[in-house]
Every structure is written in structure tokens, then in C-alpha cells.
């Protein structure tokens, strides 16, 4: 029986579909460990399987779910797989998955207090928990956005407004050469020209070099430019490096610079003692980006921006047209549409709030410390294996390394590791991806998944070792040809 044309399902139909959907999810999540880490098809194959004209007639929903299972879910990377170590994994949790389902079902409009006071209060509280964990003072506040890219963009719009009154000509912005590309994109979106960006070289531990930053500031001031903002990393994507936040906070204070921290990946480490120690100075940011869909175990999409003076968000973004006047009520009621770019926005806070409550902060603390320990474990194992070289020691759950046989030249080692990565990508036992550090191609493991065991790491390293032996054999054969 097709569903009716008013898009209204009967209670029985809703329940039946709901159970079918939950069954599909539970089957996937409970067998994840035994599935390949990554499955993908070519564009041609998928066009063949999925391309069709817009369907005029309804199809049974069972058939649609079956099609999804066959051709769509079978072509995804399992970013929550315990041996998915690539990029930044996203090991989600089922409580938050159900929270997203609830949000979709109740569909609250989370842009104004009038239409979503309950959700707005939950968002205020959840942001406040994160504020406290990150060490920002009361009065700091923010909002949930789609991810780190939007969080950085939102924060930098506030910086532009409050340090430059939006007059961007002549202004200069600084960050290290290890900074995520979304920061540069945000700056360009905000209207700055590429020559207003200074990428400061990082040191041997991939932390921004403060001496070079000082030189750049001095040179720019002498040339009549206006330095206005520094972006520091609390956990780079490449290596997990944390810039010297305290020292940079001092410098920003004395130079009158806006101090933004990109903690999209690493700020969550503030939950545990070791992370807090590494992130000293985090709470001194004028603005901070962090990403619960990374190391706080949430499904996509949820990023967060916190600004030291939350009123600045409103002063940056608020525009009140006549058709929204009814939403302006008591001063203490927060209209989240005034704090960012989106008017219509979903209730992203619910999943984080529900998972904090259902698991407790102690579980988050333990899972995050465990992620750090797993990277240290991987580093120690690699150090005991022949021909493997640690290029960046375990930092905030990321370790970077390469296969470097003694008798290979630098160029050959790079070629070898590039070949190794191609082999890794063609296999599906585990997934690690590469990056380039000081001209060297390296592999990296990001070990934030709380379901990853020491055995997963050992087996992955053993598997990498055998692939590396094949790769070097191929290189040697090529040279000898
Ligand atoms: C340090 C850092 N900043 C920003 C981002 C961008 O975040 P998103 O992909 O959620 O937009 C990432 C993503 O990996 C990141 O690692």
C-alpha cells in the first residue's frame, strides 16, 4: 500500500518503518567491527545502479530500504570502525543517533526562543558545559554549527567586526603553516585577500614559531599594515600539535590581536588531565572552535563556536527584519539566529546533551585519555619495529611515521611511502592516510575511537609492516630493471 499524498503515515505505518530503520542501523552498528573499513565504487558503477528519472509513482518503502542497503550503505567509509585511523575519525554513539532521530521527528525550529525555548535552554546549558571544560570564563557563550569550518568562519567574522569594525583593508592575519585549510577558506570568504595572510613556519614539533611570528608582526607594522588576529591550533590535523597557547595569549594581549583558537579536533582533550596540561592557555582565547563530531563521539554534523564575550556574536550577526519582530521578547531569551549565520537551524545540541547525560562526563574523560594512550602505544610499537621511523611522536592521539629502510635515499623513501599508501587505500583491513611533513610523505594514525583496542593497533601495524615489505620489494625491482 503506498503512503497517502498528504505525507501522513498512520501510527502503524510509522512504527513499522521506524522499526525497519532501527533494525537496519542496529545491524550495521553491531557488525561494524567485522565489516571492511572502507567500501567504494566508481562513479560509473554507481550511475548504473542508482541513476533514474524522478520517480512519478510511489515505491514500497521496503524496496527503498533494500536499495539503500545494496548500493548506498555498501559504499561508505566506516568512520566509526575501530580500525579507521584516517583523517579524523568520527566514532559516533547510538544515544546521539537516536537524539538526531528525535530532533528530526519533533523538528523544533532552533533559531528563536519563541519557537523553541526548550531546545534553546538545552543549547545554552550544553555550550556552558563545554565553556567550563575549556576554561573560558562565565559570560563566554556560543552556538552549535555544522562543524569546524563553520565554527572558525563564525568566530573570525566576530574578530573582523570587533578588531577592525569590518574595515579589512590593510589588515593582516597570522597562523602557522600547520593550520587547517578551512581557516584560510574562512578568511577568503570574509573578504580578505590572500596577501593579507601570513603563514608562519612551525618548529620541529610542528608548533607555531613565536620568534618568527614576532618578526612578521614587526615587519608588517613597519610596512604600515594592521595586524589584527592570530589563529592558534589546539591540535593540528596533521600531527595533533598544540601551539604554545599561553605564550601566544600573552603576545596577543600585548599586541592587541584577536586570539582565536582552532580546537576543532583537539580541544575535547581538555576533558582529561593530560589533555588539559597540553592545552594550557586554551581558556584565554577570544574565540574557540571545537567539533563534537570528532573527539566527543557525535554523529555529523555538530561543531561549536564559543566567544569570550557572547554579546559580540549578537552584535556581529543580528539583523531584525519586520517579520521577526514578534520573536523579540525578554532580554534573557536567546534567539540563536542572532548568534550566527543560520536562521533556520536544527537542534544540534540535543545529541551532545543526551550523550553527556546518558554516559556521564567520566566516560568521556576516560575515552579521551584512552585515545591519547592508544597513540602512545602505537608509537612504542613502531619504535620496536625494524625500518619504521617516527616523524611526529604521539600527540593528542595522532602519531605520524614512515617506512624508511636504511639504504634508501630520501627520494626513494618518499616514493616507497606513497606506494605504501596506495596499497593501504586498496585494502580494507584498516585505514590510515598520509600527509606530508617537511617534504616527507608520512602515514598517520588518529586513535580517538574508544572501541579501538591494543590488538587492533598491533594487527594494523603488523599489516602495514607486511605491505611495506611488498612495497619496498617493488621499488627495488623497479630500480634493478
Ligand atoms: C583542526 C581542524 N580544524 C578544522 C577542521 C574542519 O572541521 P569540519 O570538517 O568539521 O568542518 C578540522 C577537520 O578535520 C580540523 O581537524
Amino acid at each position: 500500500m503506498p503512503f497517502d499524498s498528504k505525507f501522513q503515515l498512520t501510527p502503524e505505518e510509522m512504527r513499522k518503518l521506524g522499526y525497519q530503520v532501527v533494525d537496519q542501523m542496529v545491524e550495521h552498528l553491531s557488525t561494524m567491527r567485522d565489516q571492511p573499513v572502507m567500501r567504494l565504487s566508481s562513479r560509473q558503477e554507481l550511475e548504473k545502479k542508482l541513476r533514474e528519472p524522478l520517480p512519478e509513482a510511489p515505491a514500497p518503502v521496503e524496496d527503498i530500504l533494500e536499495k539503500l542497503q545494496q548500493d548506498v550503505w555498501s559504499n561508505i567509509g566506516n568512520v566509526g570502525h575501530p580500525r579507521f585511523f584516517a583523517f579524523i575519525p568520527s566514532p559516533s554513539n547510538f544515544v546521539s543517533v537516536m537524539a538526531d532521530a528525535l530532533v528530526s521527528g519533533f523538528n523544533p525550529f532552533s533559531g528563536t526562543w519563541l519557537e523553541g525555548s526548550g531546545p534553546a535552554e538545552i543549547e545554552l546549558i550544553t555550550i556552558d558545559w563545554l565553556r567550563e571544560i575549556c576554561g573560558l570564563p562565565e559570560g563566554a557563550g556560543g552556538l552549535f554549527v555544522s562543524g569546524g569550518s563553520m565554527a572558525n568562519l563564525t568566530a573570525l567574522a566576530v574578530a573582523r567586526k570587533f578588531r577592525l569594525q569590518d574595515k579589512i583593508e590593510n589588515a593582516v592575519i597570522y597562523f602557522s603553516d600547520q593550520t587547517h585549510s578551512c581557516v584560510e577558506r574562512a578568511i577568503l570568504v570574509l573578504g580578505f585577500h590572500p596577501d593579507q595572510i601570513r603563514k608562519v613556519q612551525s618548529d620541529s614539533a610542528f608548533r607555531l614559531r613565536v620568534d618568527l611570528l614576532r618578526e612578521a608582526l614587526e615587519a608588517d607594522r613597519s610596512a604600515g599594515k594592521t595586524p589584527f588576529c592570530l589563529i592558534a591550533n589546539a591540535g593540528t590535523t596533521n600531527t595533533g600539535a598544540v601551539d604554545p597557547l599561553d605564550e601566544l595569549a600573552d603576545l596577543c594581549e600585548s599586541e592587541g590581536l584577536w586570539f582565536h583558537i582552532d580546537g576543532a579536533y583537539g580541544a575535547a582533550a581538555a576533558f582529561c588531565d593530560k589533555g588539559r596540561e597540553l592545552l594550557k592557555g586554551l581558556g584565554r582565547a577570544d574565540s574557540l572552535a571545537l567539533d563534537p563530531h570528532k573527539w566527543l563521539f557525535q554523529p555529523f554534523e555538530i561543531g561549536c563556536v564559543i566567544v569570550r564575550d557572547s554579546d559580540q556574536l549578537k552584535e556581529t550577526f543580528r539583523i531584525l527584519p519586520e517579520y521577526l519582530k514578534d520573536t523579540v521578547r525578554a532580554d534573557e531569551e536567546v534567539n540563536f539566529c542572532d548568534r550566527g549565520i543560520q536562521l533556520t537551524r536544527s537542534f544540534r545540541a540535543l545529541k551532545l546533551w543526551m550523550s553527556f547525560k546518558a554516559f556521564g562526563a567520566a566516560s568521556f574523560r576516560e575515552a579521551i585519555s584512552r585515545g591519547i594512550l592508544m597513540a602512545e602505544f602505537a608509537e612504542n610499537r613502531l619504535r620496536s619495529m625494524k625500518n619504521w621511523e617516527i616523524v611526529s611522536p604521539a600527540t593528542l592521539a595522532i602519531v605520524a611515521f614512515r617506512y624508511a629502510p636504511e639504504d634508501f635515499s630520501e627520494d626513494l623513501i618518499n616514493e616507497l611511502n606513497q606506494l605504501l599508501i596506495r596499497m593501504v587505500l586498496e585494502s580494507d583491513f584498516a585505514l590510515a592516510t598520509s600527509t606530508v611533513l617537511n617534504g616527507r610523505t608520512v602515514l598517520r594514525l588518529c586513535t580517538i575511537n574508544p572501541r579501538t583496542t591494543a590488538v587492533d593497533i598491533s594487527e594494523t601495524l603488523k599489516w602495514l609492516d607486511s605491505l611495506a615489505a611488498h612495497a619496498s620489494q617493488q621499488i627495488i625491482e623497479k630500480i634493478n630493471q
Side-chain angles (χ1 to χ4, degrees):
M1 267 267 289
F3 298 135
D4 89 4
S5 61
K6 294 190 189 72
F7 303 98
Q8 179 64 56
L9 277 64
T10 65
E12 293 69 35
E13 287 169 336
M14 284 192 260
R15 285 207 173 84
K16 188 169 169 215
L17 176 56
Y19 292 140
Q20 286 167 330
V21 167
V22 168
D23 282 346
Q24 198 172 75
M25 282 196 274
V26 171
E27 173 64 20
H28 171 64
L29 293 172
S30 58
T31 59
M32 170 102 59
R33 175 173 277 290
D34 304 318
Q35 295 175 32
V37 172
M38 173 69 95
R39 277 181 294 188
L40 79 166
S41 300
S42 68
R43 173 74 192 265
Q44 271 172 334
E45 285 170 290
L46 290 176
E47 279 283 325
K48 224 188 278 163
K49 286 179 173 163
L50 291 164
R51 171 71 61 188
E52 61 178 329
L54 175 66
E56 190 56 36
V61 77
E62 287 78 9
D63 293 359
I64 304 169
L65 286 174
E66 180 58 30
K67 184 79 182 154
L68 265 177
Q69 188 72 38
Q70 289 285 321
D71 299 331
V72 180
W73 302 140
S74 55
N75 282 296
I76 59 171
N78 279 324
V79 294
H81 193 291
R83 290 189 302 278
F84 185 102
F85 301 107
F87 311 112
I88 308 287
S90 183
S92 165
N93 78 85
F94 195 66
V95 171
S96 295
V97 170
M98 289 294 97
D100 266 354
L102 278 168
V103 168
S104 206
F106 282 80
N107 204 23
F109 179 90
S110 293
T112 61
W113 191 272
L114 181 73
E115 288 178 85
S117 53
E121 184 62 25
I122 295 288
E123 183 156 358
L124 285 171
I125 292 167
T126 314
I127 292 275
D128 216 38
W129 289 342
L130 294 178
R131 170 196 69 74
E132 227 181 318
I133 294 282
C134 293
L136 277 107
E138 272 183 43
L143 73 161
F144 290 109
V145 292
S146 56
S149 303
M150 275 308 276
N152 283 315
L153 175 65
T154 307
L156 293 173
V158 181
R160 182 182 66 173
K161 166 98 178 161
F162 280 86
R163 282 295 186 276
L164 299 172
Q165 288 74 48
D166 290 332
K167 296 192 183 74
I168 62 176
E169 213 178 298
N170 233 18
V172 187
I173 192 160
Y174 304 80
F175 51 83
S176 94
D177 57 12
Q178 295 297 301
T179 303
H180 195 277
S181 55
C182 75
V183 166
E184 186 168 343
R185 183 163 47 225
I187 293 166
L188 298 177
V189 167
L190 288 168
F192 294 90
H193 190 269
D195 68 14
Q196 293 175 278
I197 296 172
R198 300 285 174 272
K199 282 188 196 168
V200 181
Q201 200 187 321
S202 52
D203 64 15
S204 58
F206 307 101
R207 294 152 46 102
L208 184 143
R209 275 184 58 181
V210 184
D211 58 330
L212 294 182
L213 171 63
R214 282 185 200 282
E215 279 175 22
L217 285 165
E218 214 176 295
D220 282 328
R221 288 209 198 277
S222 309
K225 308 265 183 221
T226 313
F228 91 101
C229 177
L230 169 73
I231 298 154
N233 289 298
T236 63
T237 319
N238 269 343
T239 64
V242 180
D243 290 332
L245 302 179
D246 240 351
E247 193 181 351
L248 291 172
D250 289 341
L251 184 83
C252 285
E253 249 172 53
S254 63
E255 295 274 346
L257 303 180
W258 183 275
F259 185 35
H260 174 66
I261 299 182
D262 180 8
Y265 160 62
F271 264 86
C272 70
D273 291 344
K274 189 160 193 172
R276 226 176 359 264
E277 186 56 36
L278 269 167
L279 297 170
K280 215 162 147 274
L282 187 70
R284 295 180 66 191
D286 288 308
S287 56
L288 169 68
L290 68 147
D291 248 2
H293 65 203
K294 294 186 168 73
W295 212 352
L296 289 176
F297 317 120
Q298 303 301 306
F300 305 135
E301 301 172 345
I302 179 169
C304 173
V305 54
I306 301 180
V307 175
R308 185 169 209 83
D309 173 357
S310 63
D311 289 343
Q312 291 179 335
L313 279 164
K314 189 165 164 181
E315 286 173 54
T316 304
F317 291 105
R318 186 170 192 246
I319 295 178
L320 184 65
E322 63 283 4
Y323 43 80
L324 287 180
K325 289 234 160 77
D326 299 339
T327 67
V328 181
R329 295 152 39 92
D331 255 4
E332 69 275 13
E333 294 183 359
V334 174
N335 289 329
F336 275 96
C337 67
D338 291 341
R339 289 192 171 192
I341 293 165
Q342 281 184 277
L343 168 59
T344 302
R345 53 199 296 282
S346 88
F347 183 15
R348 291 192 175 94
L350 184 69
K351 51 187 160 188
L352 188 58
W353 179 83
M354 254 178 85
S355 55
F356 277 151
K357 283 180 71 73
F359 295 103
S363 294
F364 282 83
R365 196 171 308 123
E366 199 180 308
I368 291 164
S369 330
R370 200 167 176 284
I372 296 176
L373 283 176
M374 281 294 143
E376 290 168 357
F377 174 75
E379 180 192 332
N380 288 335
R381 284 306 274 250
L382 281 159
R383 286 193 190 280
S384 71
M385 288 161 60
K386 190 162 180 271
N387 290 335
W388 290 92
E389 177 195 3
I390 298 293
V391 179
S392 170
T395 315
L396 286 187
I398 297 178
V399 57
F401 51 97
R402 63 180 187 164
Y403 195 67
E406 260 173 22
D407 43 351
F408 275 46
S409 67
E410 264 306 305
D411 282 352
L412 267 189
I413 292 174
N414 265 348
E415 199 181 324
L416 167 57
N417 283 277
Q418 283 154 10
L419 175 60
L420 172 57
I421 269 300
R422 286 199 295 278
M423 288 176 163
V424 168
L425 291 176
E426 275 162 21
S427 174
D428 59 15
F429 173 72
L431 193 69
T433 42
S434 68
T435 191
V436 177
L437 297 173
N438 294 330
R440 290 172 292 181
T441 296
V442 300
L443 282 82
R444 53 190 279 298
L445 296 183
C446 180
T447 58
I448 59 176
N449 189 330
R451 271 100 57 190
T452 298
T453 62
V455 174
D456 286 318
I457 302 234
S458 304
E459 286 184 353
T460 299
L461 295 180
K462 233 190 275 168
W463 166 77
L464 281 177
D465 200 42
S466 72
L467 288 183
H470 283 299
S472 29
Q473 199 51 44
Q474 279 189 28
I475 299 269
I476 290 166
E477 279 166 18
K478 198 175 119 195
I479 297 170
N480 292 337
Q481 259 171 18

